Amino acid sequence: MNTTVAFILAAAALAGLAIAPLFLNAYGIGLLVGMTGYVVLASAWAMFSGPTRYVSLATVAFFGIGAYTVAVLSETLPYPLVLLCACAIGLTVALIVGLSTLRLAGIYFVIFTFGLAELIRQLVTWYEVNVTGTLGRYIFLPFEGIHIYWQLLALAAATLLLSWWINRSRLGLALRAVGDDEVVAAHAGINVSRAKLMLFALSATIITLVGAIQAPRWVYVEPAIVFNPTISFLTLIMALLGGATRLWGPALGAIPLFLLFEWLSANFPNYFSIILGVFFIGIVFFLPQGVLAKIEGLRRPARKAPPENKERSGAA
Amino acid sequence: MSQTVLRRAFLRSVSAFGAAALFLSAMSEGAVAQDDRTSVRIGYAVSLSGANAGGAGITTIPNYRLWVEDVNAAGGLLLPDGSRLPIEVIEYDDRSSSEEAVRAVERLATQDEVDFILPPWGTGFNLAIAPLMARAGYPQIAVTAVTDRAPEFVERWPSSFWLLGGGADYSTALAAVMAEARDAGAINNQVAMISVADGFGIDLVNAARPALTEAGFELVYDEVFPVGTSDFSTILNEARATTADSFVAFSYPPHTFALMQQAQVVDYSPPLFYLGVGAGFPVFQNMNAENVEGVMSLGGIDPNNPLNAAYRERHQEVIGAPADYWASVITYSSLQMLQQAIERVGLDREAVTQELATGTFETAAGTIMLENNQLRDLWWVGQWQGGTFVGVAPTDREGASAPQLPKPGWN
């Protein structure tokens, strides 16, 4: 019954959010676009990294692929097809990367994913310089903030629904087992590689779509603009703040952090980077499991907290 | 996750959405009353941090601050009725991100309801905000955006103005200067050319290749180097091993500084030495002292223009650093254009846009009249001569200095 109620409430919230921009000015819509974008990014990131505890910094690699696909194809293909192409490219890259690297664990995976973003950026640059002979690309699509917001909102709903479904499925159980102990999971008969690969590809495809949907807002893209590593870091810290293992965790991390960053950059533009850094450190030190887990921990002090060492690895 | 937890999590998130909605509605009440105005609100979002902070910090931000200081020191912006209103500045950081730049402009236009918005630094960021500026009816006087597609952009966004020309302008002017020097016997017809694998370098080199070939030059060395390059000794040695008299580098400031230093180390001093962005920066002169003599680059000034000299003195005095020799004076002049347009037609944005497009303005860079919303009267090639970076091309422009080639050797 609770699930039904939750679904009805979620649908109502979604409807409310869908009509919200009709009452807001351009800046309000801009805020919603940015916020929804990060909710999707953080949720998609947590879809893979939450249960498996593989910390990925490749977010911007896929985000950038999406944006670039739109830039390259927006004048030759109808928009829905462009989005499909972006999905296909993101998925293909994720499968190739996943197949070759999901054997890496811990810090090696983190470093690899960080390098992946840079690798793709350099590849795009190399291609543009040597093959097409131009670097900046233009996206002239007739979208305003509100259109982009609606697309992102739909994607957010789909992402959360998918996360919810995966959590309840055998795949989700398998992934949690992998996160707890990969060797044990393998011995329990879980096809570890397949499970990880599927989730990585799914998460990467959603991230690719976010980049593709948001790109028309910038009109002009070049590798330095779309492969901005800050996006990876922000996504990570938002998901960690909310709690990467919870369904609503990433969203709950993304919304307050996004609004905080917005408030900071409007009021303290000169100290933004310093405050951001302090925040990163604070979250990792004080909320390694995220806000949701912390609140639950406070509410149920009698229940023992889970063993420390496992929790640490999730936030490393 | 149990269903209770799920529901609790969900309820919590609903309240978070509610809080966000409250936050939004609270923020939308920040509108200002238009009557009884006591100031003119001018906003801008420039890269105060991130990858673009270097360029914005040299060319854009100091000139915005200098102009505001100058105007307010004089009692404010003069309006058609003879009254004056001081400028109130709203400054944001776009953190070198397009998304932030777009949102900052949305905030300026609809939240802060500023009267005018000054453009950000860089081609990409000017393009990112162009649709918004046009839709909200703000004139966009883009300075630090070098683009060959300006005519197309003007058609798309009629309230946009493009003041720094396109890559092809700079390259073809350089080819013309070189052809003249070759015909005078100062250099041979071979060129060693390198360019950075990034937007600006590519634009310039793509235009330079055909322009140089057409002018009868032979490209004996043509290399593209990645943005992250810091060691140019191999490139410089290879260029030196050729018989070319001309070395042309379409580079960004870090490369420009490195190339200049390393060319002195390997003692490579070709008769024509052209470097990209950064050679007109004051720090370039400080680092290389009298060795800058004869080095060519983009931009330049007319050393005999008293208005420009006064501007440079004022820049030094207020900002504490000299102005750069390329886009700085154009940035300041663009603000003077805005100031004079407001003086003539008031604060109505549409009228100001119209005036900017059709009026004639007296600025630190001389008399400016835009053609099809673009400034075409620019120094395409400049050269360090006697401690000043002077404009040498177009050669027929008033105040042009004659290029001095061959360049003297390093000291």
Side-chain angles (χ1 to χ4, degrees):
Chain A
M1 300 324 113
N2 282 331
T3 318
T4 325
V5 176
F7 264 104
I8 292 170
L9 282 175
L14 185 64
L17 283 169
I19 56 166
L22 301 176
F23 306 102
L24 290 169
N25 59 22
Y27 174 59
I29 296 171
L31 272 185
L32 286 177
V33 167
M35 207 154 65
T36 320
Y38 272 114
V39 166
V40 184
L41 284 180
S43 300
W45 181 88
M47 195 186 272
F48 169 73
S49 296
T52 59
R53 305 183 185 204
Y54 275 61
V55 173
S56 161
L57 287 175
T59 309
V60 79
F62 295 103
F63 183 85
I65 288 175
Y68 241 91
T69 310
V70 172
V72 172
L73 298 177
S74 68
E75 291 192 358
T76 44
L77 286 178
Y79 183 67
L81 275 184
V82 174
L83 287 189
L84 271 182
C85 282
C87 274
I89 294 171
L91 183 68
T92 314
V93 174
L95 286 176
I96 295 170
V97 168
L99 272 176
S100 52
T101 63
L102 284 173
R103 273 167 249 274
L104 294 175
I107 191 71
Y108 301 103
F109 183 76
V110 181
I111 294 173
F112 171 79
T113 52
F114 185 66
L116 177 69
E118 194 57 25
L119 173 75
I120 292 182
R121 171 179 166 176
Q122 294 300 339
L123 275 179
V124 171
T125 307
W126 181 89
Y127 180 85
E128 296 281 54
V129 170
N130 293 293
V131 181
T132 54
T134 166
L135 202 59
R137 282 180 179 271
Y138 302 89
I139 305 171
F140 296 124
L141 283 171
F143 291 149
E144 290 182 22
I146 193 165
H147 306 124
I148 290 169
Y149 169 65
W150 279 331
Q151 295 178 56
L152 284 174
L153 190 64
L155 186 61
T159 306
L160 286 171
L161 202 63
L162 203 59
S163 283
W164 174 80
W165 177 77
I166 288 172
N167 248 326
R168 296 162 56 99
S169 70
R170 285 171 61 90
L171 181 61
L173 189 63
L175 282 167
R176 282 198 291 279
V178 171
D180 282 343
D181 192 320
E182 206 165 319
V183 179
V184 172
H187 280 267
I190 294 170
N191 189 340
V192 175
S193 306
R194 193 175 131 251
K196 286 193 294 186
L197 185 63
M198 276 176 68
L199 255 272
F200 184 69
L202 199 58
S203 147
T205 309
I206 295 171
I207 292 171
T208 310
L209 263 180
V210 179
I213 292 171
Q214 274 193 291
R217 237 163 106 74
W218 314 324
V219 181
Y220 175 86
V221 300
E222 56 182 33
I225 289 177
V226 297
F227 294 101
N228 182 350
T230 317
I231 294 172
S232 295
F233 291 119
L234 285 183
T235 304
L236 171 80
I237 206 72
M238 284 167 172
L240 288 186
L241 172 68
T245 51
R246 316 284 164 134
L247 176 60
W248 291 96
L252 280 196
I255 295 168
L257 267 193
F258 178 82
L259 291 176
L260 175 79
F261 292 159
E262 186 64 18
W263 181 75
L264 285 178
S265 62
N267 295 285
F268 306 99
N270 295 315
Y271 306 102
F272 178 82
S273 305
I274 300 171
I275 299 172
L276 181 70
V278 171
F279 243 86
F280 273 41
I281 296 169
I283 290 174
V284 171
F285 265 98
F286 300 112
L287 297 166
Q289 282 295 291
V291 175
L292 282 184
K294 191 83 185 171
I295 293 172
E296 266 162 39
L298 290 176
R299 278 197 186 169
R300 274 177 281 174
R303 222 179 88 179
K304 271 265 183 216
E308 267 296 288
N309 54 347
K310 262 191 221 162
E311 309 312 318
R312 280 282 158 75
S313 64
Chain B
M1 187 182 287
S2 75
Q3 293 194 339
T4 345
V5 174
L6 179 75
R7 192 184 53 158
R8 199 180 301 136
F10 174 73
L11 289 176
R12 238 174 265 135
S13 65
V14 169
S15 54
F17 278 126
L22 269 182
F23 177 84
L24 287 178
S25 61
M27 288 197 62
S28 55
E29 277 159 31
V32 230
Q34 291 294 311
D35 327 309
D36 312 326
R37 57 161 69 242
T38 52
S39 66
V40 177
R41 290 157 72 87
I42 291 190
Y44 54 85
V46 190
S47 307
L48 301 175
S49 62
N52 297 341
I58 286 177
T59 304
T60 304
I61 298 162
N63 284 295
Y64 287 0
R65 293 189 178 151
L66 174 63
W67 177 68
V68 172
E69 167 104 16
D70 282 353
V71 169
N72 284 347
L77 282 171
L78 190 61
L79 297 172
D81 63 4
S83 65
R84 281 182 186 273
L85 281 175
I87 295 176
E88 183 192 340
V89 173
I90 297 173
E91 179 183 271
Y92 293 130
D93 180 9
D94 65 31
R95 308 207 293 270
S96 302
S97 141
S98 286
E99 179 63 34
E100 295 294 330
V102 167
R103 202 163 54 246
V105 167
E106 285 172 341
R107 193 191 300 136
L108 287 169
T110 60
Q111 208 63 41
D112 304 319
E113 297 191 344
V114 295
D115 295 295
F116 291 97
I117 297 175
L118 305 183
W121 183 90
T123 312
F125 291 77
N126 269 295
L127 283 164
I129 69 161
L132 286 174
M133 295 282 276
R135 207 179 307 135
Y138 283 96
Q140 178 181 5
I141 318 172
V143 180
T144 45
V146 175
T147 167
D148 289 320
R149 293 176 66 171
E152 186 191 326
F153 299 151
V154 169
E155 212 163 290
R156 195 178 281 275
W157 307 298
S159 59
S160 68
F161 301 88
W162 306 86
L163 267 52
L164 213 54
D169 297 320
Y170 292 94
S171 290
T172 43
L174 174 64
V177 168
M178 288 170 65
E180 212 165 292
R182 178 203 52 207
D183 297 344
I187 52 173
N188 65 16
N189 76 333
Q190 293 180 329
V191 187
M193 181 166 74
I194 64 169
S195 56
V196 61
D198 203 47
F200 180 76
I202 295 168
D203 271 3
L204 267 84
V205 82
N206 279 346
R209 282 190 192 116
L212 286 170
T213 321
E214 217 165 282
F217 282 96
E218 184 191 345
L219 278 169
V220 291
Y221 186 71
D222 185 357
E223 279 291 314
V224 177
F225 63 88
V227 175
T229 310
S230 57
D231 180 4
F232 291 94
S233 45
T234 314
I235 284 179
L236 285 166
N237 278 320
E238 282 173 6
R240 187 171 59 172
T242 69
T243 46
D245 274 352
S246 305
F247 178 77
V248 174
F250 297 114
S251 50
Y252 278 143
H255 319 126
T256 302
F257 298 149
L259 280 164
M260 184 67 182
Q261 293 284 329
Q262 291 170 19
Q264 292 168 56
V265 170
V266 302
D267 197 25
Y268 173 49
S269 178
L272 186 146
F273 195 65
Y274 179 98
L275 298 175
V277 192
F281 289 179
V283 63
F284 182 79
Q285 188 182 18
N286 298 342
M287 278 162 49
N288 300 290
E290 61 267 36
N291 274 341
V292 298
E293 184 68 19
V295 173
M296 296 181 129
S297 182
L298 314 93
I301 61 164
D302 170 5
N304 300 316
N305 177 348
L307 286 171
N308 198 336
Y311 155 74
R312 298 191 65 81
E313 209 168 288
R314 185 96 187 106
H315 191 287
Q316 172 75 54
E317 188 188 316
V318 175
I319 304 299
D324 87 72
Y325 280 99
W326 181 24
S328 264
V329 71
I330 308 294
T331 306
Y332 190 82
S333 299
S334 75
L335 301 169
Q336 288 180 307
M337 289 168 64
L338 179 64
Q339 181 182 350
Q340 290 166 25
I342 290 173
E343 189 180 324
R344 291 172 204 162
V345 301
L347 293 170
D348 178 55
R349 287 194 283 271
E350 208 170 305
V352 168
T353 305
Q354 183 63 26
E355 180 61 26
L356 284 169
T358 54
T360 307
F361 304 91
E362 293 305 324
T363 71
T367 306
I368 287 182
M369 211 187 137
L370 300 184
E371 304 162 35
N372 186 22
N373 286 17
Q374 299 156 62
L375 178 58
R376 301 297 306 157
D377 210 8
L378 284 164
W379 292 113
W380 303 124
V381 184
Q383 185 180 35
W384 283 99
Q385 294 182 3
T388 306
F389 189 68
V390 300
V392 297
T395 42
D396 53 355
R397 189 179 169 194
E398 199 190 320
S401 305
Q404 289 172 8
L405 293 168
K407 174 187 102 59
W410 309 126
N411 287 307

